[in-house]
Every structure is written in C-alpha cells, then in structure tokens.
Amino acid sequence: MSTPPDDRSFRREMATAYRSGWHFIDLATAIPHSGDSLMVTVFGEPVVVTRDDEDDVRAYRCLRRPRGAPQPVRCAIRYGMIFVNLDQRDHRLDEPEAPDVRTIAATPRSA
C-alpha cells in the first residue's frame, strides 16, 4: 500500500510538471467578439482570457495581493482552441552563435 504524498511534494510536482506545460482552456468561439472575456481557474489560480479590440486573445493571471495588477500569461490559439501556459520563466529563444563556416576548396573526383 502506498502512502499519500505530503503537501510539499505535491506543490513541487504541480510547480514543475504541470505549470510548465500548455493547458487547454476552451474553444476560441467562447469569446467571439472583441471585449468578450472568460474566467477560468487553472491549478487553483484564476485566469482571465479576453479578446481585445484588435481581435487578439490575451490571458492574465489575477493576483490576490492588494493593489496587484493582472499579470500577463502566455496564450496561444491552435486549431481553434485556446491554450495558456502559467510558467513564469523566460522562454525566449536565444540567438544561436554564428557557426564557424569555413570554405573548403575541393575538386570533384573524375570517374
């Protein structure tokens, strides 16, 4: 018989395994017009998904702190579905270093 996980390991697992991935929220047709919004709870955190005046879908985490402004959350629409990612780490791709390209002069072998 296995023992249930303690609260600390459960929180750590939620923070590392689940929050770092993309999570389905709803279909994009749930907020069809500009100004429409959708309030959902993702892993115990309230998230507002809204469509702005330019028809872009944006997501914000609602902070519970006093005077806390909504914090932007990464949001994407794929195949008509809305996905959010609660991971706060910076996932911008670094510019790869320029490869060391050397030109090699070679003459083809004749058959």
Side-chain angles (χ1 to χ4, degrees), residues 46 68 73-74 80 82:
V73 175
R74 291 185 297 157
I82 302 170

Side-chain angles (χ1 to χ4, degrees), residues 1-61:
M1 179 176 220
S2 64
T3 60
D6 63 344
D7 192 42
R8 187 181 320 146
S9 65
F10 177 72
R11 285 192 310 249
R12 183 174 46 244
E13 184 176 339
M14 290 293 284
T16 57
Y18 295 108
R19 290 179 193 245
S20 63
W22 289 91
H23 304 286
F24 171 74
I25 297 299
D26 205 341
L27 296 176
T29 57
I31 49 174
H33 307 292
S34 63
D36 289 347
S37 63
L38 179 67
M39 180 77 165
V40 295
T41 302
V42 181
F43 297 114
E45 292 191 30
V47 175
V48 175
V49 181
T50 184
R51 188 176 293 268
D52 62 8
D53 294 334
E54 298 170 356
D55 245 10
D56 292 331
V57 175
R58 306 205 183 266
Y60 300 94
R61 176 184 288 137

Side-chain angles (χ1 to χ4, degrees), residues 44-103:
E45 292 191 30
V47 175
V48 175
V49 181
T50 184
R51 188 176 293 268
D52 62 8
D53 294 334
E54 298 170 356
D55 245 10
D56 292 331
V57 175
R58 306 205 183 266
Y60 300 94
R61 176 184 288 137
C62 299
L63 300 178
R64 295 184 181 135
R65 299 179 207 143
R67 294 177 281 158
Q71 181 182 25
V73 175
R74 291 185 297 157
C75 180
I77 296 180
R78 297 289 183 260
Y79 307 109
M81 298 179 284
I82 302 170
F83 293 91
V84 296
N85 190 329
L86 298 178
D87 195 4
Q88 295 177 347
R89 293 176 290 181
D90 189 11
H91 288 278
R92 285 181 285 173
L93 294 175
D94 294 330
E95 291 295 323
E97 295 180 15
D100 187 19
V101 179
R102 297 181 187 157
T103 305

